[in-house]
């Protein structure tokens, strides 16, 4: 290749998941292209391995704001999703590819990229006005066939025009996926008339494969009429196609034909075979999910009422090491006793035995009579009170004043093996709460313990999200302390929402009589963190379930809200069905659509089932109310130095918590939509 310079080894991942290294020759004269915008640079490279052939590389370079960078990377991820979905469905079986074929990709690096095997031909724009009737027929059938294949894998091209359709005088091809979206994603405003359909221009509703059908109708009108001005009309398609395909130009996607239906009108059989699901490998898991779900009362009301009733009726418990029952504390009408999550004693707010965070440590605090009410309350924001620990079965410990002076606590345990992503997930949840995620649902929030909340921000949120560095794993401990807590206020009633980051190793069978294990008796809801990449068998979930026998109903199911979070979903963001949900980013806006929660749960169950991670699915079979979710606390993988090249961004971290709050009947009326169950 004239003027080529060979010059580097390109490391990337193939569509089959193999990691390869190829030497490449770069053509220095080709560094731009029709989609050279938004931070992308588009250039041709000649791969010198495997006999050598040309590929197109789209590499993300340049700089911008974090929001712009996120949008650019999202576009690149959309390209990769489109290519991989086509590869999995059609692969090498496609003897006449009308769409680009993906060669490989590399993400989670400073300059991510995708490699394409380009389609032949030249832009159709250069051939307008010179096509014969048989050429027009060929272009129409080929483009509709390409759209039918995209529809079969749930991809919307979104940028069809004479510049993105190529023609080699024998066949037409669709070129590139720089603006591709998955069907069902919220439309983002894109394009201008007449090529972009009305809904796409305004960004209304969800992306639909029939968006592309509009663009093909406009393309056909442009080819037939030679010019196209104003709003496209059926008569612009000429006498041959106006009556047959005129509804391709309907202003509403639902009234347009699909590509397969349009081909049928042209007497062309479906080019994609049976409709089927995009990934039939998920079918068995989806069926199993429905089998387990049938006969239950979904949505959490039963679990919420059962948990509340259990809390009211439950007698004071003995800890595992208690030698005598605890003495009863004198009640105070304003603040009922609260159960200590460490020793299980009932603790009464007394205003004595207090400590306050000063200069990096807790120091004794005395509320003197000369303090004003404002001064007193300001001090109590940072204060903790010693638990009486009447049994004396462990060291002194303290509870936040906000825990004792609010309504009935909601203790949420985040459970999973060390390295599963619990700490990152919890950091993402708290960051989303701080950003107002619960306020959207008319749930007001504030810190239970201001000093503890500030410490959590400093040790977790700042390193992860401001500095882009990994957090250390949670290790096994003898006692479980709360990690962070917020006071949630709904309709004027406040309750402490406490989070506990619990390493699975703490709850293994050999640890069954530790105070850390007895902590489960004080738990109100569970977030099980499932890492699908772990190859070893994780017995943590089963061990936790075994310790919750007292919450078991007559049918053997556990009456406690639970959620399973498929963490690190960014690592699987190019797999079905993870790609669909993780690309949706956060949907934490009211009303919370319970039908959509069930749909995500079914897909997440099927995903883990397909990968053989049945142990991670145990909670769904045992808990009466259990949802499943895809989430990523970081949005991408870290490099060998523990740095996130793309920066760390939480994706869908709040959804599991919203599900638990819905099951507990905490969300205000009107913020939760329940359709047919």
């Amino acid at each position: 290749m004239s003027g080529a310079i060979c010059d580097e080894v390109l490391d990337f991942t193939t569509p089959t998941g193999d990691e390869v290294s190829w030497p490449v020759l770069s053509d220095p004269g080709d560094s731009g292209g029709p989609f050279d915008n938004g931070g992308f640079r588009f250039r041709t490279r000649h791969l010198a391995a495997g006999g050598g052939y040309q590929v197109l590389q789209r590499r993300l370079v340049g700089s911008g704001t974090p929001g712009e960078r996120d949008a650019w990377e999202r576009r690149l991820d959309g390209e990769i999703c489109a290519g991989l979905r086509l590869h999995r469905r059609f692969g090498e079986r496609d003897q006449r590819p009308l769409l680009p074929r993906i060669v490989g990709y590399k993400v989670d690096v400073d300059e991510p990229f995708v490699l394409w095997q380009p389609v032949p031909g030249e832009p159709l724009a250069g051939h307008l006005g010179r096509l014969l009737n048989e050429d027009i027929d060929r272009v129409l059938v080929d483009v509709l066939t390409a759209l039918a294949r995209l529809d079969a894998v749930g991809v919307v091209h979104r940028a069809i025009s004479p510049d993105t359709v190529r023609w080699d005088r024998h066949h037409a091809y669709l070129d590139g996926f720089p603006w591709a979206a998955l069907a069902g994603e919220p439309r983002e405003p894109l394009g201008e008339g007449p090529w972009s359909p009305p809904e796409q221009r305004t960004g209304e509703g969800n992306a639909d494969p029939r968006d592309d059908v509009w663009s093909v109708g406009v393309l056909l009108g442009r080819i037939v009429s030679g010019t196209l001005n104003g709003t496209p009309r059926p008569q612009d398609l000429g006498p041959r196609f106006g009556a047959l395909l005129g509804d391709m130009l309907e202003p509403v996607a639902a009234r347009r034909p699909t590509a397969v239906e349009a081909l049928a009108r042209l007497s062309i059989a479906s080019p994609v075979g049976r409709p089927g699901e995009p990934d039939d490998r998920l079918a068995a898991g989806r069926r199993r999910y429905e089998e387990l779900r049938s006969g239950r009362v979904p949505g959490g009301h039963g679990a919420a009422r059962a948990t509340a009733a259990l809390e009211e009726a439950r007698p004071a418990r003995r800890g595992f090491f208690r030698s005598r029952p605890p003495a009863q504390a004198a009640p105070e009408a304003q603040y009922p006793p609260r159960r200590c999550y460490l020793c299980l004693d009932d603790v009464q707010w007394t205003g004595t035995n207090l400590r306050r965070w000063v200069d990096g440590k807790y120091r004794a605090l005395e509320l003197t009579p000369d303090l004003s009410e404002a001064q007193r309350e300001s001090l109590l924001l940072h204060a903790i009170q010693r638990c009486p620990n009447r049994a004396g079965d462990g060291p002194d410990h303290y509870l936040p004043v906000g825990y004792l002076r609010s309504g009935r606590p909601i203790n949420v345990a985040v459970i999973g093996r060390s390295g599963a992503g619990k700490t990152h997930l919890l950091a993402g949840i708290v960051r989303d709460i701080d950003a107002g995620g619960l306020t959207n649902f008319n749930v007001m929030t504030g810190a239970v313990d201001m000093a503890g909340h500030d410490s959590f921000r400093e040790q977790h949120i700042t390193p992860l999200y401001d500095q882009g560095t990994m957090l250390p794993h949670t290790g096994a401990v003898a006692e479980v302390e709360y990690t962070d807590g917020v006071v949630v206020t709904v309709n004027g009633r406040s309750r402490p929402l406490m989070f506990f980051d619990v390493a699975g190793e703490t709850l293994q069978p050999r640890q069954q009589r530790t105070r850390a294990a007895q902590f489960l008796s004080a738990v109100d809801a569970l977030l099980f963190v499932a890492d699908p990449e772990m190859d070893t068998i994780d017995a943590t979930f089963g061990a936790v379930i075994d310790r919750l026998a007292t919450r078991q109903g007559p049918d053997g199911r556990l009456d406690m809200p639970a959620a399973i979070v498929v963490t690190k979903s960014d690592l699987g963001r190019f797999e079905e069905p993870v790609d669909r949900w993780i690309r949706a980013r956060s949907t934490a806006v009211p009303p919370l659509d319970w039908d959509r929660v069930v749909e995500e749960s079914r897909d997440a169950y099927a995903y883990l089932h397909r990968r053989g991670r049945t142990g991670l699915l145990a909670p769904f079979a045992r808990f009466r109310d259990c949802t499943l979710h895809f989430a990523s606390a970081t949005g991408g993988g870290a490099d060998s130095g523990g740095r996130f090249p793309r920066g760390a961004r939480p994706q869908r971290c709040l959804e599991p918590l919203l599900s638990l709050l819905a099951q507990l009947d905490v969300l205000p009326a009107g913020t939760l939509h329940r359709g047919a169950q």
Side-chain angles (χ1 to χ4, degrees):
M1 184 167 58
S2 176
I5 49 175
C6 177
D7 357 79
E8 63 178 290
V9 174
L10 197 64
D11 300 320
F12 60 91
T13 304
T14 70
T16 57
D18 297 324
E19 302 292 334
V20 300
S21 298
W22 282 3
V24 297
L25 297 173
S26 300
D27 182 352
D30 188 1
S31 60
F35 309 122
D36 182 14
N37 53 38
F40 283 114
R41 294 297 179 266
F42 185 30
R43 62 176 177 173
T44 302
R45 285 187 163 188
H46 183 268
L47 299 191
Y53 60 91
Q54 280 196 340
V55 299
L56 297 179
Q57 181 194 57
R58 282 174 52 79
R59 180 189 291 267
L60 178 60
V61 299
S63 60
T65 66
E68 290 171 336
R69 172 81 181 192
D70 185 61
W72 299 340
E73 290 173 349
R74 181 176 170 80
R75 282 181 52 195
L76 187 63
D77 283 0
E79 286 193 58
I80 298 170
C81 283
L84 292 178
R85 283 194 170 202
L86 286 168
H87 173 82
R88 294 182 187 119
R89 178 67 183 268
F90 300 105
E92 300 303 322
R93 295 173 294 172
D94 186 2
Q95 298 302 312
R96 187 167 58 82
L98 301 175
L99 294 157
R101 282 178 169 169
I102 189 169
V103 176
Y105 59 93
K106 192 175 184 66
V107 293
D108 298 335
V109 292
D110 290 324
E111 294 187 358
F113 62 83
V114 60
L115 302 172
W116 293 101
Q117 181 181 337
V119 295
E122 301 170 348
L124 186 64
H127 297 271
L128 296 179
R130 297 185 307 206
L131 297 175
L132 304 176
N133 281 344
E134 54 267 32
D135 295 334
I136 295 174
D137 292 347
R138 186 73 268 159
V139 169
L140 178 61
V141 170
D142 283 349
V143 174
L144 286 174
T145 298
L147 288 194
R149 292 175 181 173
L150 289 178
D151 191 352
V153 297
V155 171
V156 184
H157 188 279
R158 301 208 314 147
I160 294 174
S161 74
D163 292 321
T164 58
V165 175
R166 301 180 75 87
W167 173 249
D168 67 356
R169 296 178 175 80
H170 300 286
H171 288 287
Y173 308 85
L174 281 188
D175 185 18
F177 300 104
W179 300 101
L182 298 184
E185 289 183 351
R187 287 190 182 98
E188 296 180 358
L190 176 67
E192 300 176 352
W195 303 104
S196 182
E199 313 100 318
Q200 185 171 292
R201 284 175 240 158
T202 57
E204 298 177 9
N206 297 323
D208 189 309
R210 290 168 292 188
D211 296 350
D212 291 337
V213 171
W214 162 282
S215 301
V216 173
V218 176
L219 178 67
L220 178 60
R222 179 70 176 83
I223 294 173
V224 170
S225 66
T227 60
L228 196 61
N229 298 314
T231 303
R233 303 165 300 169
Q235 52 264 42
D236 294 327
L237 306 186
R240 295 178 62 212
F241 299 112
L244 197 62
L245 299 174
D247 55 351
M248 293 173 68
L249 298 175
E250 284 283 346
V252 178
R255 298 205 295 263
R256 299 173 202 138
T258 65
V260 169
E261 290 169 344
L263 286 169
R265 297 177 189 177
L266 300 172
S267 301
I268 305 294
S270 171
V272 295
R274 62 184 180 82
E277 293 176 319
D279 192 339
D280 286 335
R281 297 174 298 170
L282 298 169
R286 289 188 173 115
R287 286 195 299 270
R288 181 58 179 157
Y289 172 88
E290 293 296 348
E291 291 170 0
L292 291 172
R293 182 169 170 262
S294 63
R296 300 186 189 186
V297 179
H301 288 296
R305 285 195 296 268
T307 301
L310 181 64
E311 179 69 23
E312 296 301 324
R314 183 189 299 157
R317 298 176 182 276
R318 282 193 176 193
F320 287 121
F321 303 110
R322 256 197 198 110
S323 58
R324 60 185 186 278
Q328 296 297 312
E332 284 189 10
Q334 187 177 6
Y335 302 115
R338 299 302 173 202
R339 177 160 294 117
C340 174
Y341 38 76
L342 290 175
C343 68
L344 306 185
D345 264 350
D346 284 339
V347 183
Q348 179 75 52
W349 160 247
T350 63
T352 60
N353 294 316
L354 299 177
R355 289 191 177 188
R356 179 170 68 103
W357 187 259
V358 179
D359 296 332
K361 63 175 59 178
Y362 281 105
R363 302 177 185 274
L365 169 64
E366 182 179 353
L367 300 177
T368 59
D370 59 319
L371 292 173
S372 69
E373 186 65 21
Q375 290 171 325
R376 172 189 171 94
E377 292 302 317
S378 177
L379 290 173
L380 291 178
L381 283 175
H382 299 77
I384 57 177
Q385 176 179 303
R386 185 169 63 84
C387 174
N389 191 21
R390 300 176 185 90
D393 54 12
D396 285 349
H397 50 276
Y398 292 77
L399 303 178
V401 168
Y403 184 82
L404 300 174
R405 300 177 76 214
S406 299
R408 186 170 60 83
I410 305 170
N411 294 325
V412 177
V414 185
I415 292 176
R417 289 188 57 176
S418 180
K422 303 180 305 306
T423 305
H424 287 110
L425 175 65
L426 188 50
I429 291 174
V430 174
R431 182 179 184 270
D432 282 348
I433 292 174
D434 280 351
L438 292 183
T439 306
N440 294 335
F441 289 81
N442 293 323
V443 178
M444 305 299 109
T445 61
V448 170
D449 171 13
M450 188 65 72
H453 190 54
D454 287 345
S455 177
F456 184 84
R457 286 180 179 139
E458 181 181 346
Q459 297 178 19
H460 295 82
I461 294 178
T462 297
L464 181 59
Y465 294 116
D466 294 344
Q467 300 169 2
T469 57
M470 287 185 65
L471 301 176
H473 298 324
T474 305
V477 294
E479 291 187 346
V480 174
E481 283 279 8
Y482 82 96
T483 307
D484 196 14
V486 295
V487 175
V488 295
T489 302
V490 178
N491 298 327
R493 301 182 64 181
S494 298
R495 301 175 66 180
L497 173 62
M498 310 296 289
F499 297 107
F500 299 82
D501 183 355
V502 187
E505 293 78 358
T506 300
L507 303 171
Q508 291 296 324
R510 64 182 178 277
Q511 305 290 342
Q512 62 183 347
R513 294 189 61 80
T514 64
R515 282 165 59 113
Q518 81 175 18
F519 147 83
L520 290 172
S521 297
V523 166
D524 299 285
L526 291 162
L527 274 179
F528 291 96
V529 179
D531 180 1
E533 301 300 323
M534 283 189 174
D535 295 328
T536 57
I537 297 176
D538 187 352
T540 301
F541 293 1
V544 171
I545 290 171
D546 290 342
R547 290 178 171 84
L548 295 172
T550 56
R551 310 291 184 94
Q552 187 170 292
D555 60 356
R557 290 198 174 98
L558 296 169
D559 285 314
M560 178 192 296
I564 302 172
V565 185
V566 183
T567 192
K568 304 179 184 178
S569 288
D570 57 277
L571 300 180
R573 67 184 182 273
F574 302 126
E575 297 182 56
E576 296 177 64
V578 187
D579 55 3
R580 172 193 175 194
W581 293 101
I582 205 64
R583 277 184 60 77
R585 302 297 171 89
S586 179
T587 56
V589 292
L592 179 63
D593 187 342
W594 199 259
D595 289 341
R596 188 165 172 82
V597 173
V598 171
E599 187 180 1
E600 181 181 6
S601 296
R602 179 169 52 245
D603 278 354
Y605 187 100
Y607 176 70
L608 292 175
H609 185 276
R610 186 189 72 190
R611 294 176 65 100
R613 302 297 193 262
T614 53
L616 300 178
L617 294 170
F620 183 75
R622 292 298 308 278
F623 285 80
R624 190 177 314 281
D625 291 290
C626 181
T627 56
L628 297 93
H629 308 265
F630 293 107
S632 169
T634 61
D639 59 24
S640 58
R643 183 184 70 93
F644 294 96
R646 297 161 57 112
R649 294 154 296 183
Q651 296 175 333
R652 302 181 64 81
C653 290
L654 200 58
E655 277 74 2
L657 177 62
L658 286 169
S659 172
L660 292 182
L661 295 180
Q663 294 177 54
L664 288 161
D665 286 338
V666 171
L667 296 183
T671 60
L672 175 64
H673 169 71
R674 296 184 188 276
Q677 298 292 339

